[in-house]
Amino acid sequence: MKKLSIGTIRKVIHGSLVKGNDNLMISSVVTQAKQVESSNTLLFLLNPRTFDWRFIKKYLPCAIVTDRPIGHCPFGNNCTIIKVNKIKESYYDFIDFYRNQFDIPVIAVTGTCGKTTTKDMTRHILKHFYKTEGTVKSTNGESKHLSYLMKLNDSVEAAVYETAVAAPGYIKKSSRYFKPQIGIITNIGIDHLDQCKTLEGYIKAKGEMVKAVGEKGTLILNADDDNIKKISLEDFKGKIIYYGVGENADYQASNIEFVPKGMSYILTVNNKRYKVFIPGYGVHQVYNSMAAIAAAYEVGISYRDSIKLLPSFKHLNSHFEVMKGLNQCQLIVDTWNINPTSLEASIKTMCEIAKNRKKIALVGSIDALGKNSRQLHQKVGDMICQYDLDVLITIGSQARYIALQCRRNGFKGKVYSFSSTEGVRRLLNQIVDKDTTLLTKCSMHDPAVINFVNNLKLKK
């Protein structure tokens, strides 16, 4: 954090000094007392009911901003107290002020699938030219926005943030903190219908990115995604960049090939062609890399420089990791997240790299599909029937509807359905060998299946 004095902060939030010192320098800002971990911390007391003086006793001097009485302070002038009229308004006044201290390029990435990889690819490129901050892994919830913002200081030159959509308004809220000028939407499939209610509501929530980047901002969009095309851009006056495989794409991929340890393709942009290699399997990785190259170029990094750096990119664990597994099989661990879009991408990619091997997919239940979860799992079954799999194994109460639908549709392979992981290992021991490719796909929020999959990995 860029250090600020209490006197400066008070002017920004229109606060009055109840006790303490205007000269106290603040080096950390939090919104809960239990988050105080060092001296010179400023606490915006958004929820006074959770406040306890004991949380800050070890970290004096510190300061508190409040709009309500909080009782007698036992620490004298070691604890500065600022009174404001409305705590939330003052908090966001501070957020706005602090973000405006930094005139740096900020990129926001959203999408049903690929947003973490695209964010990380973009940051991987940028960090070789600029000191870059951003989202850690996929820890992108609203509770982390303040801590990410506070990592900005005068030495930071760029930032890349992942903006999730668990419910309407999420991107709008994150933009209050980060104020991105460049926004990427990777794709929009079916997800988070428990909060967004309908696919249309989910598309609208993703479309908040249009306003997030502002009137003079830049949008980088997947030209081949039908749901992205439903986002209204009529009032957007900024720059729009499309990437995809079609002729209408500004960044166009062709000659896409599966090669050892990754993907190869030809990128055509501004009437020039470039050979690109990216580690990690799947056509979706081609899309992720094009978005990253486009974002980096908007920040000032040449196509050639970005392409040169991509081969050294390292994917997060559990993002379509290929390794040796049970009975010397080819095990694919893709257990970071699951939704219908990412599941199809995984199955399609497995079929490409497995070729003549026995192909088995082990699939868990899909979260956050709302009241139509059963029907949507059945649609996933319809999708799976389009692929040449030898065995489908489902684990979980909702995933069983995938298995049932496959049976109804005359799935050519064998179908097994389990309510839990019990008995699955026994089955796999019987059907998996060195000529098998086993795809495991589930949610990171399903610890039982995650633990089961981890035990399928061949011990080194």
Side-chain angles (χ1 to χ4, degrees):
M1 177 185 170
K2 178 180 180 178
K3 290 185 179 180
L4 298 169
S5 71
I6 284 294
T8 299
I9 295 172
R10 278 207 308 114
K11 291 177 183 177
V12 171
I13 65 175
H14 310 290
S16 58
L17 192 65
V18 176
K19 63 180 298 185
N21 188 350
D22 262 344
N23 294 322
L24 177 65
M25 298 302 295
I26 295 299
S27 57
S28 176
V29 179
V30 298
T31 58
Q32 298 181 49
K34 64 182 181 181
Q35 295 171 333
V36 177
E37 296 178 343
S38 62
S39 60
N40 298 83
T41 294
L42 175 64
L43 167 63
F44 278 91
L45 200 55
L46 299 182
N47 186 359
R49 289 177 297 178
T50 63
F51 179 69
D52 190 323
W53 292 107
R54 289 175 293 181
F55 283 119
I56 63 176
K57 183 179 181 179
K58 295 190 297 182
Y59 303 112
L60 301 173
C62 64
I64 300 172
V65 181
T66 181
D67 60 358
R68 299 182 188 182
I70 55 174
H72 172 69
C73 173
F75 308 127
N77 285 333
N78 271 333
C79 182
T80 294
I81 298 177
I82 302 169
K83 177 72 165 55
V84 295
N85 290 328
K86 294 183 178 180
I87 187 67
K88 283 193 175 181
E89 288 184 9
S90 295
Y91 173 69
Y92 282 111
D93 283 341
F94 171 77
I95 294 300
D96 188 59
F97 167 79
Y98 192 80
R99 172 62 184 87
N100 288 341
Q101 300 296 298
F102 310 102
D103 185 15
I104 61 172
V106 174
I107 300 165
V109 186
T110 196
T112 302
C113 308
K115 57 183 175 291
T116 300
T117 300
T118 300
K119 177 264 299 178
D120 283 346
M121 279 186 178
T122 305
R123 190 173 178 181
H124 174 73
I125 296 169
L126 264 59
K127 72 180 183 181
H128 286 81
F129 301 91
Y130 309 106
K131 183 177 179 183
T132 307
E133 280 293 343
T135 309
V136 177
K137 295 184 178 180
S138 61
T139 308
N140 53 37
E142 184 181 355
S143 63
K144 300 298 293 184
H145 293 346
L146 177 61
S147 63
Y148 286 139
L149 180 63
M150 290 300 103
K151 288 183 179 181
L152 297 185
N153 56 45
D154 289 334
S155 69
V156 177
E157 299 170 302
V160 188
Y161 299 108
E162 180 177 326
T163 52
V165 171
Y170 265 51
I171 293 179
K172 182 180 178 181
K173 289 178 182 177
S174 69
S175 69
R176 296 187 73 173
Y177 291 81
F178 306 133
K179 298 185 180 179
Q181 309 96 346
I182 300 171
I184 300 172
I185 306 180
T186 59
N187 50 53
I188 303 177
I190 294 174
D191 204 0
H192 295 297
L193 301 191
D194 54 339
Q195 296 294 323
C196 294
K197 304 305 179 186
T198 63
L199 176 58
E200 290 72 25
Y202 183 55
I203 293 170
K204 186 177 179 181
K206 288 291 187 188
E208 291 173 13
M209 184 65 78
V210 177
K211 289 188 176 180
V213 300
E215 290 186 356
K216 297 181 180 179
T218 298
L219 292 172
I220 300 174
L221 307 176
N222 183 341
D224 301 331
D225 188 274
D226 290 336
N227 288 327
I228 288 179
K229 294 173 185 176
K230 297 175 183 177
I231 295 174
S232 176
L233 300 173
E234 291 180 8
D235 298 327
F236 182 65
K237 297 179 174 62
K239 183 178 182 181
I240 303 176
I241 298 167
Y242 289 101
Y243 63 95
V245 299
E247 293 181 358
N248 63 329
D250 302 295
Y251 288 71
Q252 183 186 20
S254 60
N255 300 96
I256 299 172
E257 296 181 298
F258 284 75
V259 296
K261 296 185 178 181
M263 305 297 296
S264 172
Y265 69 99
I266 299 297
L267 173 65
T268 302
V269 56
N270 288 335
N271 298 316
K272 292 186 178 181
R273 291 162 60 87
Y274 304 87
K275 185 70 176 286
V276 183
F277 168 79
I278 43 171
Y281 294 109
V283 175
H284 56 287
Q285 301 294 3
V286 173
Y287 281 84
N288 295 339
S289 67
M290 282 193 288
I293 293 169
Y297 184 76
E298 292 303 301
V299 172
I301 300 171
S302 72
Y303 306 130
R304 290 190 185 280
D305 282 337
S306 292
I307 291 167
K308 192 182 298 183
L309 289 166
L310 281 173
S312 61
F313 172 73
K314 296 187 184 303
H315 291 270
L316 285 173
N317 294 339
S318 304
H319 279 68
F320 207 88
E321 281 188 280
V322 182
M323 64 188 72
K324 284 287 186 181
L326 178 71
N327 297 340
Q328 298 293 319
C329 75
Q330 183 184 49
L331 176 65
I332 300 172
V333 179
D334 196 12
T335 56
W336 193 262
N337 198 13
I338 183 172
N339 54 56
T341 306
S342 67
L343 176 57
E344 182 168 17
S346 296
I347 290 175
K348 183 185 291 187
T349 303
M350 177 185 70
C351 290
E352 285 286 349
I353 67 173
K355 297 301 181 182
N356 297 322
R357 301 168 65 88
K358 180 193 294 184
K359 294 179 281 294
I360 301 176
L362 187 154
V363 180
S365 294
I366 303 174
D367 298 328
L369 293 183
K371 63 180 181 180
N372 294 320
S373 178
R374 176 175 177 173
Q375 294 90 324
L376 292 171
H377 276 84
Q378 289 171 338
K379 285 188 177 181
V380 169
D382 294 334
M383 175 272 290
I384 289 176
C385 285
Q386 299 173 24
Y387 292 91
D388 184 24
L389 303 183
D390 295 288
V391 180
L392 170 68
I393 302 169
T394 67
I395 302 177
S397 59
Q398 292 299 302
R400 71 188 177 94
Y401 295 116
I402 299 174
L404 289 170
Q405 191 71 3
C406 284
R407 292 193 183 106
R408 289 192 195 100
N409 289 348
F411 179 70
K412 294 179 182 178
K414 294 182 179 179
V415 180
Y416 301 90
S417 183
F418 294 82
S419 59
S420 69
T421 59
E422 187 177 351
V424 181
R425 177 82 180 219
R426 192 179 312 113
L427 170 64
L428 289 176
N429 263 320
Q430 296 170 0
I431 63 176
V432 167
D433 57 28
K434 63 182 178 61
D435 297 317
T436 300
T437 296
L438 171 61
L439 168 68
T440 57
K441 185 71 173 171
C442 68
S443 167
M444 68 174 80
H445 304 299
D446 194 341
V449 180
I450 293 287
N451 185 59
F452 176 81
V453 171
N454 286 336
N455 286 324
L456 296 177
K457 299 175 183 178
L458 195 66
K459 299 295 185 290
K460 294 183 180 180

